[in-house]
Amino acid sequence: MAEIQLFENLESEGELSCPVCFEIFKAPVLLSCSHSVCKACLQQFWKTRSTQECPVCRRRSSKQEPPYNLALKNLCESFLRDRRESSPEEVCSSHGEKLKLFCLKDKEPVCLVCRDSQKHANHTFQPIDEVVPSYKEELKTALKSLREKLKNREEIRGEYDKTVQHIKTQAVHTERQIEHEFEKLHQFLRDEEQATISALRKEEEKKNQMMKEKLEEMNRHISALSHTIKDIEERMKANDVSFLKVIITLSRGTQPDPERCCGALIDVPHYLGNLAFRVWKKMQDIVQNTPVVLDPNTASPQLVLSDDLTSLTHNKSRQLLPDNPERFDFFHCVLGSEGFKSGTHCWDVEVGNNSAWTVGIMAASYQRKGDAFFREGVWYVQYTGKEYLSLSPEQPAARCPVKDKLQRIRVHLNWDSGNVSFSDAVTNTQLRTFKTTFREMLFPFFQSICETSPLRIIPVRVNISSV
């Protein structure tokens, strides 16, 4: 009741303000002279003056630690709480005053008491109603930018969703191709296993037949010898003349002993000796090595690549593929999967009846988006359907000396010496050689706009020889 009565007797909010900081009391203490001051303000005042006197009446305080004025503290807190609840957004949280000014330095709305406080000393202020219009314009501009960013983020999220689905499709297709390729290898090994075992069984059968014939012949010899022995034993019992006749017959008809059977056993080394290596050598007939393999993640949506990633064909309809940074989105191009930053490399491309194509190399930094004409960072030979042209970053387009229609193009790159040459792989006729200094990674580069005939990278034969 005393607090309510005291609050009702206050004439203005100024009577709830500290006489030192002029803000609503915070932790007020009661001096012996009955004046109240914020505890922090009193301590600072005493420290500055080096004396324990009241900041209002200058009367010396008898106590070094004055007690808190709890009634006044509760009134101030109740006052500030009521002001905040009545208009929480327009009232100063420190003084309960209405926010009318904007501090240009601290970028915050303040009340009249804040303006005169130490916290905002020497700051510049403007009325809030003058500041709001300019900030609204800034906010409109910022809001427009945020909406554009939101739209961009939503588009990127859509691309991410497409990428997730494409990853699933890629994984399923790649897994099937892996299974297919390994099944071919497994079938080859099964066939080789069966052929080797079949050859073993044929040799077993042949040698068993040979030994059977040898045994039959030996049985005949044994039977004949047994008969001879029995005859001799009978004649030894006869008279001397008969006995001598037997001796003469034996001396004339003695037969040599049969030879031992050589080579009768299975030729085990023929089947087991270096078995894995011999099978590996035979795999040359089914295993191919293509010096360049295409990267489907760079392929234009209007190109269709073969399952083994060695050929490309143009397609009128665009495939639904993620617009990832590596992919060409305008020109119908694709890059090789491996880039070169040193060494010598060579690959042949079968162009056949393709009506328009480009074959060459491209720098890794070349911009793959948009319709910018191929110039910087590209070295190539091109067939337009009428003529053969060559071009490099250092030299303008020039005609190639071609008499008959090209069927195969050979690209020979020597990164270290800065040479790239193009030739007719059938006649080994040089078409164009560029000399430069390579400074970055280079990728094989292909373009096609023909729907009937693909461009195909020619595999090279694998030669396996023992060391």
Side-chain angles (χ1 to χ4, degrees):
M1 291 298 292
E3 292 180 7
I4 295 175
Q5 185 64 39
L6 178 59
F7 181 75
E8 290 176 349
N9 292 335
L10 294 172
E11 295 181 359
S12 68
E13 296 174 8
E15 297 186 40
L16 294 178
S17 300
C18 172
V20 177
C21 65
F22 302 106
E23 297 183 4
I24 301 296
F25 282 110
K26 295 178 182 177
V29 293
L30 182 62
L31 299 174
S32 57
C33 60
S34 299
H35 290 117
S36 293
V37 186
C38 291
K39 183 177 181 180
C41 295
L42 181 64
Q43 291 175 345
Q44 181 64 31
F45 183 81
W46 283 358
K47 182 178 180 181
T48 303
R49 294 298 184 94
S50 299
T51 180
Q52 294 182 194
E53 61 182 24
C54 173
V56 180
C57 65
R58 298 296 191 271
R59 181 177 174 180
R60 185 175 178 79
S61 174
S62 60
K63 297 180 181 180
Q64 189 173 358
E65 292 290 338
Y68 284 105
N69 191 339
L70 296 178
L72 182 58
K73 178 177 179 292
N74 292 337
L75 282 172
C76 291
E77 291 177 352
S78 177
F79 173 76
L80 293 174
R81 183 169 58 252
D82 291 342
R83 290 295 298 270
R84 284 194 296 268
E85 291 176 355
S86 62
S87 53
E89 295 181 356
E90 298 180 0
V91 177
C92 177
S93 60
S94 299
H95 310 109
E97 293 279 351
K98 189 173 182 180
L99 300 171
K100 294 182 178 181
L101 300 175
F102 186 78
C103 179
L104 297 179
K105 182 176 182 181
D106 293 336
K107 302 295 182 184
E108 63 179 6
V110 297
C111 68
L112 295 175
V113 180
C114 290
R115 178 192 61 183
D116 299 329
S117 67
Q118 184 65 31
K119 178 181 177 183
H120 293 279
N122 300 321
H123 291 189
T124 304
F125 303 89
Q126 268 187 282
I128 286 179
D129 56 357
E130 293 182 9
V131 175
V132 167
S134 61
Y135 274 93
K136 280 188 175 180
E137 289 301 319
E138 289 184 16
L139 190 59
K140 285 180 181 179
T141 303
L143 189 60
K144 182 180 178 181
S145 175
L146 288 173
R147 284 172 177 160
E148 290 176 353
K149 287 183 178 180
L150 176 62
K151 182 180 178 181
N152 179 258
R153 299 295 190 276
E154 289 174 344
E155 290 175 355
I156 293 175
R157 182 179 64 182
E159 289 297 326
Y160 285 172
D161 290 337
K162 291 180 183 178
T163 301
V164 170
Q165 293 301 318
H166 189 65
I167 289 172
K168 292 180 181 178
T169 303
Q170 277 187 312
V172 171
H173 178 73
T174 305
E175 182 177 342
R176 289 174 181 171
Q177 286 302 116
I178 291 171
E179 291 173 349
H180 176 68
E181 291 298 319
F182 271 96
E183 177 55 31
K184 290 196 297 186
L185 295 175
H186 293 159
Q187 188 59 50
F188 173 83
L189 293 175
R190 286 194 292 267
D191 292 344
E192 280 298 308
E193 177 187 8
Q194 190 59 42
T196 305
I197 293 175
S198 177
L200 172 63
R201 288 174 178 170
K202 284 183 179 178
E203 183 179 357
E204 178 190 14
E205 182 180 356
K206 178 181 178 181
K207 293 195 171 177
N208 278 334
Q209 180 63 31
M210 180 185 71
M211 292 308 299
K212 182 180 178 181
E213 293 174 356
K214 293 286 185 180
L215 282 171
E216 290 177 351
E217 181 181 1
M218 187 58 63
N219 288 333
R220 289 195 296 271
H221 280 287
I222 292 171
S223 178
L225 285 174
S226 298
H227 180 73
T228 301
I229 292 170
K230 186 177 180 180
D231 186 53
I232 292 172
E233 289 176 344
E234 289 294 330
R235 297 211 179 191
M236 286 181 68
K237 298 176 182 179
N239 54 40
D240 295 341
V241 175
S242 297
F243 174 76
L244 291 173
K245 288 181 179 180
V246 171
I247 294 300
I248 294 171
T249 302
L250 287 175
S251 62
R252 292 176 180 176
T254 302
Q255 297 181 353
D257 292 335
E259 296 180 357
R260 294 279 182 170
C261 188
C262 184
L265 301 180
I266 297 293
D267 187 3
V268 175
H270 175 73
Y271 302 100
L272 296 183
N274 294 316
L275 176 60
F277 180 78
R278 288 186 289 108
V279 173
W280 185 35
K281 287 184 67 176
K282 286 186 178 181
M283 292 181 73
Q284 293 180 80
D285 297 332
I286 66 166
V287 174
Q288 294 181 332
N289 176 38
T290 307
V292 171
V293 177
L294 303 175
D295 182 0
N297 294 335
T298 66
S300 160
Q302 289 187 265
L303 287 181
V304 178
L305 308 186
S306 61
D307 288 336
D308 62 358
L309 305 177
T310 61
S311 68
L312 61 143
T313 308
H314 181 263
N315 190 5
K316 279 185 178 180
S317 59
R318 291 177 66 89
Q319 303 171 82
L320 295 176
L321 300 174
D323 187 24
N324 49 300
E326 302 91 346
R327 191 179 306 281
F328 289 93
D329 62 353
F330 183 83
F331 289 108
H332 308 152
C333 305
V334 64
L335 300 181
S337 63
E338 181 183 0
F340 307 122
K341 202 171 181 180
S342 63
T344 301
H345 311 275
C346 183
W347 60 94
D348 292 354
V349 183
E350 186 178 272
V351 295
N353 295 320
N354 195 291
S355 58
W357 48 262
T358 305
V359 173
I361 56 174
M362 176 178 286
S365 62
Y366 187 85
Q367 177 57 251
R368 304 174 194 180
K369 303 296 183 183
D371 57 353
F373 181 70
F374 297 142
R375 184 62 181 171
E376 296 298 327
V378 183
W379 296 258
Y380 65 77
V381 168
Q382 182 181 73
Y383 178 57
T384 64
K386 296 180 180 179
E387 59 184 352
Y388 295 92
L389 301 174
S390 62
L391 184 142
S392 76
E394 299 86 2
Q395 300 179 27
R399 291 183 178 180
C400 296
V402 176
K403 295 181 180 179
D404 300 323
K405 188 175 182 180
L406 297 175
Q407 296 297 313
R408 289 188 180 184
I409 298 294
R410 176 166 296 156
V411 183
H412 189 275
L413 168 66
N414 189 326
W415 197 97
D416 301 312
S417 64
N419 281 324
V420 57
S421 64
F422 300 90
S423 59
D424 183 343
V426 177
T427 64
N428 203 26
T429 302
Q430 199 76 10
L431 301 175
R432 192 68 184 270
T433 298
F434 296 108
K435 176 70 176 176
T436 184
T437 300
F438 298 124
R439 304 184 186 281
E440 60 178 305
M441 185 172 289
L442 303 173
F443 286 89
F445 164 70
F446 309 86
Q447 180 187 29
S448 173
I449 57 173
C450 179
E451 298 176 25
T452 57
S453 182
L455 294 184
R456 188 172 71 92
I457 304 163
I458 306 300
V460 295
R461 184 168 181 81
V462 180
N463 292 317
I464 302 175
S465 57
S466 58
V467 180

